Amino acid sequence: LFISVATTPVKAPLHLERRNNASAKHISNKKGDSVMPIARFMVPGEMEPVSHYCHVVKAGDFIYLSGMVGMKADGTIPPDTVGQFEVAVESINTCLRHAGGRPDQVIKVLVFMTDISERASINPIRQRYFGQHRPASTLVEVKALVDPRMKVEIEAVAYVGA
């Protein structure tokens, strides 16, 4: 199977039509048959990306959420890890729901922390957000994030299929 981005406009299914700055493209196989719709979203009210990416991509039945940090859209950053993680999880939730997903559909999370010894302090927020649903998870300690005041970042993948 050869995969490439279609170069001619393709009408997206109704549920993926352009809305709130979303752009939809289809992935095609070598014969040009459309095999997967892709929609990219810039979510209103979220922090402007610091580089060339969007907040969320919906590819078929999967939702990919870019790394969310503890910076609010107005540029403020809580001073502590817990406050930053609360902001980041709220951003994950906003972007996930914008693309049509729910917390119980998250299948994988990746968390980056600048001080892994604070892991236990963010667990209650994770438990409250995911409830009984436990996504696969990876936690990585990093030297720094994009802004030296930042202490935590989370990205996620959700599956919204049947």
Side-chain angles (χ1 to χ4, degrees):
L1 175 70
F2 173 76
I3 298 179
S4 67
V5 175
T7 57
T8 56
V10 178
K11 177 104 171 124
L14 263 181
H15 70 285
L16 292 178
E17 283 190 14
R18 293 182 82 130
R19 62 183 191 264
N20 295 330
N21 297 321
S23 61
K25 292 187 179 182
H26 285 255
I27 298 296
S28 301
N29 62 16
K30 197 170 187 177
K31 296 177 186 176
D33 300 325
S34 179
V35 293
M36 183 189 314
I38 296 178
R40 292 168 174 82
F41 301 95
M42 298 298 290
V43 180
E46 288 301 310
M47 183 182 97
E48 189 68 28
V50 297
S51 187
H52 187 72
Y53 64 91
C54 60
H55 296 117
V56 59
V57 173
K58 186 171 185 181
D61 290 334
F62 289 91
I63 297 173
Y64 298 88
L65 298 140
S66 293
M68 302 295 167
V69 294
M71 181 184 282
K72 297 178 183 177
D74 67 4
T76 58
I77 299 175
D80 63 307
T81 299
V82 170
Q84 288 187 27
F85 195 68
E86 287 174 342
V87 171
V89 168
E90 183 57 38
S91 290
I92 286 284
N93 187 57
T94 299
C95 292
L96 176 64
R97 291 182 185 277
H98 186 87
R102 302 182 315 264
D104 64 305
Q105 294 171 312
V106 174
I107 59 172
K108 172 73 171 144
V109 296
L110 178 56
V111 179
F112 302 93
M113 298 182 76
T114 58
D115 183 356
I116 206 163
S117 71
E118 294 190 82
R119 176 197 56 80
S121 69
I122 65 170
N123 278 345
I125 300 163
R126 287 177 57 130
Q127 292 166 344
R128 185 172 60 244
Y129 183 69
F130 291 114
Q132 295 298 325
H133 172 69
R134 292 179 179 219
S137 181
T138 300
L139 173 64
V140 179
E141 184 174 62
V142 295
K143 182 177 178 180
L145 295 168
V146 70
D147 181 303
R149 299 171 292 167
M150 293 177 182
K151 300 173 183 289
V152 65
E153 180 172 340
I154 181 171
E155 65 179 53
V157 178
Y159 178 72
V160 296

